[in-house]
Each structure stands twice: as C-alpha cells, then as structure tokens.
Amino acid sequence: MQRYGIERQALAVALIPVLILAVLVETAFLYYRMSEQDQGLLDRAELIARQLAASSEYAVFAANGLVLQQLVNGVMAQKDVQAVQLLDADGKTLATAGNAQWSQARFKQQDGAALWQDDATLIVYQPIVTTQLALDDTAVRMESSSVSPVGAVQLTMSKRRLYQAKRELVLFSLLLTAVVLLLSVLAAMIVARRITQPIFGMHNALRRLGEGKLDTRISEMSVIELNELAQGINEMAQQIQYQQQNLQSRIEQATQALREKKEEAEKANYDKTRFLAAASHDLRQPMHALGLFMGELHHRINTAEQRQIVDKVDEAVTAMSGLLESLLDISKLDAGVVVPQLQEIDIAMLVSRLQEVFAAEAAQKYITFRVRCHSIRVVSDPILLERILLNLLGNAIRYTPPHGTVLLACRRRGKQLRIETRDNGNGIAEKDQERIFHEFVQLENAARERSKGLGLGLPIVQRLCRLLQHSLALRSAPGAGTTFSVDVPLAQSISGFQPADSKAEMAEEGVEELGNRVALVVDDDELVRTGTGGLLESWGWHVRLAKNLAEVKAANPQLFDLVICDYRLPDGNGLELFHDIQTKGPFKPAFILISGDTFPDILQQVATHGLHLLHKPVRPAKLRSLLNSMFKQGIQVAAK
C-alpha cells in the first residue's frame, strides 16, 4: 500500500473538492453561455431576414431590381452576414450578394422560417408576403397566414465570430479555474506546512534523542494539539535522561567491579599457567629421562619375563607422555605458534593409513569399521588433518559398544569435501554437546579410566579445525549415535600448494644407522643427560656430555655433527647456544632443542628461529625419526 505524507494528503483534501466544483460550475456556465450565443445568432439572423422581407415587399412586387440590390447590399453590411438572396414567387433570383449556394431542398420550416445550418454557417429562409390593410380598423394588421408569398429572402450567417467568442470564453474560464486552483494549492500548502513543519521538528528531535542526545527539547508550537504532544515528548526525554544518568552510574560501578574481577581472574590464570608450566617442566624432566633409559633398556634385556616387565613400565611411561604431550599441544595451539603447512593431499592415502591404524583396535572390540572414501585431492595440512581424524576415530571406536559400527565417509559438498566419522554408540545429549569440547570433560568416564582417554582429544580437534579454518560440526542424540563432520576445501589447481606424495612422508622415518657421528648433549639434569647419551651410544654415536654453557664453550660445539640442548640451563638457555654456534665458524652442526617448558612466549621464540623443538618426555623412536629426517636432508656437519 502506497503511503503519502501529511502535506500531500492536505493538498488532496483541499484540491479535489475545489477541482470537482470548478469543473461542474465551468461546464454549466459554458453550456448555458454558448447556448445563449447560438440562440442570439439565430435570433439576429431571423430578425434581419424579416426586416429585409418587409422592406423588399413592394420592390419585389414591382420587380424593381435596383432597389432590391441596394437592400441586399445594405444587409451585407451587417455583422456575420455571409450571403443574401432575394427570390420571386417562382424561385428566380431577383438580387443577390455574397458567395453562398443554396438548395431549398435542405431547408426545414421552424417558427415560420426555413432553417439550415452546419459547423460554419447558418441559413435562414424567410417568405415575402404582401401586407393587408383592414378597412374597418385604423390599425395596420399583417395577414400572412392565408396569403401566398410573392418572394423569399434567403440569408446566410457565418459562425466564425461566434466560434471565436466561444474560444475566448473557454480560455477565460480555464484561466479563471487555474487561478482558483493555484490559490487553493497555495492556501493548502501554507496550512499543511503549518502542520508538517512542527511534526518534522518533533521527528528530528526524536531522532536526536534516539542517537543519545537526551538534552534535546522541542520548542513551543502554534498548533495546540501538536504543542501538547511536544510537551509530552519533552517530559519523556527528561525522564529518559534521568534514567540514563542513573543507569550510566550503575554501569560504571558494575564495570569497575567486573574490571577488578577480570584482573583477579587474569592474575589467577597467569599464576595457573606458570604453575602448570613449572609443574610440567618438573614432571617432564624425570619422564624424559625415564623414557630414554627405557629405550636403552630395550637393547639390554635378555629374557621374556624381563621384556614383559619392561613393556608394562613402557606402557605406563607412554600413558604419562601422552598426557603431557596433549597438554603441550593445547598450549601450542593457544599460544599461536603452530603454523599450518597447507598443501594438496590425496584423501584416499590418508584414509588408508587411518584404516590400518584402527583396524586391529576395532577388531579387538568386535566393531565393524567401514571406510567409504574415493581418491580426491584436498588442501590442508596433512599432519594436522590426520591428527584431527585420529582423535575423532579414536573416540568413535573407544565409545562404541562391542558389535557396533564405525564409519569413515567422504562426500563432496560444492567446493568442500565433508569428512564424517559416524558411530552407533550411546549418543550425546544436546545439553552436553558444547561441554564435550572443554578440557578433561568425559561424559562416560566418571571413574577417569585411562583406557577411555584423557578428555583432551576434542578440545585439540576444535582448536586444530579453527586453525585450519575447517568447519567442524556435530550431530548426535541419545541412543542415535554420533556424527562428527569436518569440511575441507577441494584442491582446484591452487598455485603455491605442493602435493603430499606418499605414506612415508607423514609416517615415522625408517631406521637408519647413523653411527660414526659425534653428538654433544647439553642438559643440567644428570639423569636426562646420561639417558640421552646412553641412547645415542646404543645407536652407534660418539657422545660428549655437558651440563652448562661454560662446558659447551670449552668443548667447541662446532666440532660436532649434532647438538642436543635443553632450553633451560643454569647459566643461560639453548637459544643463546644456538646464536653462538651460528655466529662462529663456517661449519654449523645440526641443532635440536629439547624443553619441558610450555610457556607461550618460549614456544613463539623457538618458532621464530625455525628450530627443531622436542618436548620432554621425548620418545626414543621420535628422536630417531627426527635424526633420520634431518640427516637425509643433507644437513652440513663439520668435517672430522
């Protein structure tokens, strides 16, 4: 529905009645006035014709053509006379003037005179009869009804001047009507603006009030009703201003209280971070040493009973290491030091590795593990994407009851590949679907059984998806199983991405003998230092140990193929040693930094220098894999 403003509606209210009235009055006036003009021309024509008939009676009887012509010429001098003709009783022309042609057949009798007219002319036919004198009366009386005419007058009148007068009358009427309408419009606009201008003033005032300018007030108005409305708005604005000032004061008080609580929470969080980092460092030191000794011990045991005991200890060490590594992963992701290495990945190869990893575990629980993925290339970080799917599949198999089903499926959705893990387990209630992404939350593990995980997998998945900008979604309901989905962009010949070729690129490197090389191990913890040295020696390395930077300088680290250094040392840190090595001599040994710290600023410093960083506890297989990878890449070492 189209809407109009007050000014337009006021104009419409004022103009429509005036316009209708003007049209009606003008139409009636023109009709009657033009009718009068038509009748006046007809009356004048009949009068002229009768006068000519009366004055030409004797001349017609006497057939005096000269007199008749003079009479005809005299009539032609009258206004609007176009032609005159005098006829005898037989219809022959006695005298004529003008240039009209007549035909008696077109005349009709009206009021004793024959008439014919068209758009341009009016023709009057008047018989000429003799005048009879009454002998018994002194008055002269015309008796024409019973006397045969002796002739006739045929008069043609032009309507040109009549039409000109009508046009002038119409133009005058239209001009007068336009003037009246214009005056009405001006009057309506003046009245409408006297109403609309105060309303616009109130509108602007309300807009300023809406913008927060609560000191705005509306001045007094000339229209009584609008003035009362303006006073009501002023009172409302005054009340709102008072309430706003009161509310602002309360907000400032609440903000100050929240600021104090926030500062307390930040301080508590910082203290917690420092405590966790310190505790993590202190725990990592013995765990790291224990893992190294366990790696060396595997090469020294002889009996099956000893191997069984060592395997149990190794299992406990692995569980503790997994917990510390998960905490470290979360610290890295929160610190923002993990930089994704995006490249093209063949999803079929990645899924094939995952199938190999979980097939045996699923078979042990009598779970049907199915995979439905075709060979298609996506863009992501292969290691981080595999970590996401490892955690999701691990949870699915862990919480699916025996004889259940777990499905890993891939399907295209536009420019994305949706990777889904589905299970028919107990499902997750809607109220818990957000809570499961919090650290250490396990819905079905109130007893905190180690076999059911630590409650850190999904928080890591959420952080990794956010880092990779992959959408993560969850669909679940109690008794209906759970589906996690990750949307990964499809590869479309994007320049700058290199494909991840093979399975071996993301798996641990194979064993390679790295003997006849010399390594320097720097750590202030004797257990860690001795354990690392013993492990390297079991792999064929020649090892020298140092407990601080002073001993390192005496040993000249540029004479070594490899330097493994702890970050925190009594007289400095590992980054200082790395800078010292880089600035001295042409030969630079391979450098591995090992740390038990999880402070975000330390992680950022190491990431800035592009160093290889291993966090305690370091598994021997992981260290060996890193060494194989580094020396396969042709890292230059000092010549012996």
mmCIF file of all heavy atoms in Angstrom, residues 19 34 92 126 270 276 288 352 362 385 388 411 519 530 534 542 580 582 637:
data_model
loop_
_atom_site.group_PDB
_atom_site.id
_atom_site.type_symbol
_atom_site.label_atom_id
_atom_site.label_comp_id
_atom_site.label_asym_id
_atom_site.label_seq_id
_atom_site.Cartn_x
_atom_site.Cartn_y
_atom_site.Cartn_z
ATOM 1 N N LEU A 19 -11.544 21.221 -7.293
ATOM 2 C CA LEU A 19 -11.442 20.838 -8.695
ATOM 3 C C LEU A 19 -12.777 20.323 -9.227
ATOM 4 O O LEU A 19 -13.212 20.689 -10.321
ATOM 5 C CB LEU A 19 -10.353 19.769 -8.859
ATOM 6 C CG LEU A 19 -10.080 19.297 -10.282
ATOM 7 C CD1 LEU A 19 -9.619 20.466 -11.148
ATOM 8 C CD2 LEU A 19 -9.042 18.188 -10.287
ATOM 9 N N MET A 34 -22.821 29.368 -24.081
ATOM 10 C CA MET A 34 -22.707 29.055 -25.506
ATOM 11 C C MET A 34 -24.086 28.861 -26.134
ATOM 12 O O MET A 34 -24.303 29.210 -27.302
ATOM 13 C CB MET A 34 -21.860 27.799 -25.697
ATOM 14 C CG MET A 34 -20.386 28.005 -25.401
ATOM 15 S SD MET A 34 -19.417 26.516 -25.685
ATOM 16 C CE MET A 34 -17.786 27.107 -25.261
ATOM 17 N N LYS A 92 -36.980 32.426 -58.812
ATOM 18 C CA LYS A 92 -35.903 33.011 -59.569
ATOM 19 C C LYS A 92 -35.230 34.103 -58.753
ATOM 20 O O LYS A 92 -35.873 34.786 -57.967
ATOM 21 C CB LYS A 92 -36.435 33.595 -60.858
ATOM 22 C CG LYS A 92 -36.985 32.530 -61.812
ATOM 23 C CD LYS A 92 -37.494 33.176 -63.089
ATOM 24 C CE LYS A 92 -38.044 32.120 -64.038
ATOM 25 N NZ LYS A 92 -38.549 32.725 -65.300
ATOM 26 N N GLN A 126 -36.802 33.203 -45.369
ATOM 27 C CA GLN A 126 -37.958 33.983 -44.909
ATOM 28 C C GLN A 126 -38.843 34.345 -46.117
ATOM 29 O O GLN A 126 -38.392 35.052 -47.029
ATOM 30 C CB GLN A 126 -37.489 35.268 -44.227
ATOM 31 C CG GLN A 126 -38.603 36.157 -43.731
ATOM 32 C CD GLN A 126 -39.408 35.526 -42.600
ATOM 33 O OE1 GLN A 126 -38.839 34.896 -41.732
ATOM 34 N NE2 GLN A 126 -40.727 35.686 -42.639
ATOM 35 N N TYR A 270 47.136 -16.449 34.997
ATOM 36 C CA TYR A 270 48.581 -16.366 34.774
ATOM 37 C C TYR A 270 49.330 -17.214 35.793
ATOM 38 O O TYR A 270 50.275 -17.942 35.450
ATOM 39 C CB TYR A 270 49.023 -14.903 34.859
ATOM 40 C CG TYR A 270 50.510 -14.706 34.680
ATOM 41 C CD1 TYR A 270 51.089 -14.825 33.414
ATOM 42 C CD2 TYR A 270 51.326 -14.403 35.765
ATOM 43 C CE1 TYR A 270 52.451 -14.650 33.243
ATOM 44 C CE2 TYR A 270 52.691 -14.227 35.601
ATOM 45 C CZ TYR A 270 53.245 -14.357 34.347
ATOM 46 O OH TYR A 270 54.599 -14.201 34.187
ATOM 47 N N LEU A 276 51.334 -24.545 35.997
ATOM 48 C CA LEU A 276 51.280 -25.713 35.119
ATOM 49 C C LEU A 276 52.574 -25.860 34.324
ATOM 50 O O LEU A 276 53.056 -26.974 34.107
ATOM 51 C CB LEU A 276 50.086 -25.598 34.169
ATOM 52 C CG LEU A 276 48.702 -25.775 34.813
ATOM 53 C CD1 LEU A 276 47.621 -25.560 33.770
ATOM 54 C CD2 LEU A 276 48.568 -27.160 35.438
ATOM 55 N N HIS A 288 61.217 -37.655 30.840
ATOM 56 C CA HIS A 288 62.105 -37.702 29.696
ATOM 57 C C HIS A 288 63.271 -38.652 29.944
ATOM 58 O O HIS A 288 63.605 -39.495 29.088
ATOM 59 C CB HIS A 288 62.609 -36.285 29.402
ATOM 60 C CG HIS A 288 63.577 -36.212 28.267
ATOM 61 N ND1 HIS A 288 63.303 -36.670 27.016
ATOM 62 C CD2 HIS A 288 64.862 -35.727 28.213
ATOM 63 C CE1 HIS A 288 64.336 -36.482 26.218
ATOM 64 N NE2 HIS A 288 65.299 -35.904 26.932
ATOM 65 N N SER A 352 43.556 -44.435 4.013
ATOM 66 C CA SER A 352 44.140 -45.774 4.052
ATOM 67 C C SER A 352 45.023 -45.953 5.283
ATOM 68 O O SER A 352 44.990 -47.004 5.941
ATOM 69 C CB SER A 352 44.953 -46.009 2.772
ATOM 70 O OG SER A 352 45.597 -47.269 2.811
ATOM 71 N N ALA A 362 39.625 -51.950 16.304
ATOM 72 C CA ALA A 362 38.202 -52.199 16.095
ATOM 73 C C ALA A 362 37.904 -53.695 16.131
ATOM 74 O O ALA A 362 36.879 -54.133 16.680
ATOM 75 C CB ALA A 362 37.761 -51.601 14.754
ATOM 76 N N LEU A 385 45.572 -32.411 9.784
ATOM 77 C CA LEU A 385 44.317 -33.057 9.399
ATOM 78 C C LEU A 385 44.284 -34.505 9.872
ATOM 79 O O LEU A 385 43.253 -35.001 10.343
ATOM 80 C CB LEU A 385 44.146 -32.981 7.876
ATOM 81 C CG LEU A 385 42.876 -33.626 7.315
ATOM 82 C CD1 LEU A 385 41.636 -32.967 7.908
ATOM 83 C CD2 LEU A 385 42.841 -33.544 5.796
ATOM 84 N N ILE A 388 43.453 -34.584 13.493
ATOM 85 C CA ILE A 388 42.020 -34.387 13.734
ATOM 86 C C ILE A 388 41.268 -35.698 13.573
ATOM 87 O O ILE A 388 40.475 -36.109 14.436
ATOM 88 C CB ILE A 388 41.467 -33.323 12.764
ATOM 89 C CG1 ILE A 388 42.027 -31.942 13.115
ATOM 90 C CG2 ILE A 388 39.941 -33.293 12.811
ATOM 91 C CD1 ILE A 388 41.697 -30.880 12.086
ATOM 92 N N ARG A 411 32.320 -37.175 1.248
ATOM 93 C CA ARG A 411 31.406 -36.826 0.160
ATOM 94 C C ARG A 411 31.564 -35.346 -0.173
ATOM 95 O O ARG A 411 31.832 -34.521 0.714
ATOM 96 C CB ARG A 411 29.952 -37.134 0.518
ATOM 97 C CG ARG A 411 29.447 -36.498 1.785
ATOM 98 C CD ARG A 411 28.154 -37.143 2.234
ATOM 99 N NE ARG A 411 27.698 -36.629 3.528
ATOM 100 C CZ ARG A 411 26.652 -35.844 3.684
ATOM 101 N NH1 ARG A 411 25.955 -35.471 2.638
ATOM 102 N NH2 ARG A 411 26.275 -35.436 4.881
ATOM 103 N N ALA A 519 78.039 -36.464 18.706
ATOM 104 C CA ALA A 519 76.947 -35.642 19.221
ATOM 105 C C ALA A 519 77.347 -35.032 20.563
ATOM 106 O O ALA A 519 78.079 -35.650 21.356
ATOM 107 C CB ALA A 519 75.685 -36.475 19.383
ATOM 108 N N THR A 530 72.583 -38.247 31.046
ATOM 109 C CA THR A 530 73.124 -39.610 30.936
ATOM 110 C C THR A 530 72.242 -40.489 30.066
ATOM 111 O O THR A 530 72.724 -41.263 29.234
ATOM 112 C CB THR A 530 73.251 -40.232 32.336
ATOM 113 O OG1 THR A 530 74.048 -39.360 33.161
ATOM 114 C CG2 THR A 530 73.913 -41.601 32.260
ATOM 115 N N GLY A 534 73.385 -42.270 26.645
ATOM 116 C CA GLY A 534 73.363 -43.728 26.510
ATOM 117 C C GLY A 534 72.530 -44.172 25.317
ATOM 118 O O GLY A 534 72.886 -45.142 24.620
ATOM 119 N N HIS A 542 79.060 -41.333 18.823
ATOM 120 C CA HIS A 542 80.054 -40.958 19.830
ATOM 121 C C HIS A 542 79.516 -39.720 20.533
ATOM 122 O O HIS A 542 79.186 -38.717 19.896
ATOM 123 C CB HIS A 542 81.400 -40.655 19.172
ATOM 124 C CG HIS A 542 81.947 -41.828 18.386
ATOM 125 N ND1 HIS A 542 82.447 -42.960 18.974
ATOM 126 C CD2 HIS A 542 82.024 -42.019 17.042
ATOM 127 C CE1 HIS A 542 82.837 -43.814 18.036
ATOM 128 N NE2 HIS A 542 82.583 -43.262 16.844
ATOM 129 N N ASP A 580 75.251 -18.514 19.380
ATOM 130 C CA ASP A 580 76.715 -18.535 19.456
ATOM 131 C C ASP A 580 77.300 -19.438 18.365
ATOM 132 O O ASP A 580 78.298 -19.093 17.732
ATOM 133 C CB ASP A 580 77.135 -19.027 20.847
ATOM 134 C CG ASP A 580 78.637 -18.934 21.037
ATOM 135 O OD1 ASP A 580 79.176 -17.811 20.990
ATOM 136 O OD2 ASP A 580 79.277 -20.005 21.209
ATOM 137 N N GLN A 582 75.842 -20.186 15.483
ATOM 138 C CA GLN A 582 75.573 -19.613 14.169
ATOM 139 C C GLN A 582 76.538 -18.500 13.804
ATOM 140 O O GLN A 582 76.782 -18.229 12.625
ATOM 141 C CB GLN A 582 74.132 -19.078 14.115
ATOM 142 C CG GLN A 582 73.063 -20.143 14.217
ATOM 143 C CD GLN A 582 73.073 -21.066 13.011
ATOM 144 O OE1 GLN A 582 73.118 -20.626 11.868
ATOM 145 N NE2 GLN A 582 73.049 -22.370 13.279
ATOM 146 N N VAL A 637 77.640 -30.921 8.375
ATOM 147 C CA VAL A 637 78.297 -31.049 9.680
ATOM 148 C C VAL A 637 79.786 -30.804 9.477
ATOM 149 O O VAL A 637 80.307 -30.816 8.354
ATOM 150 C CB VAL A 637 78.032 -32.445 10.295
ATOM 151 C CG1 VAL A 637 76.568 -32.609 10.594
ATOM 152 C CG2 VAL A 637 78.517 -33.544 9.389
#
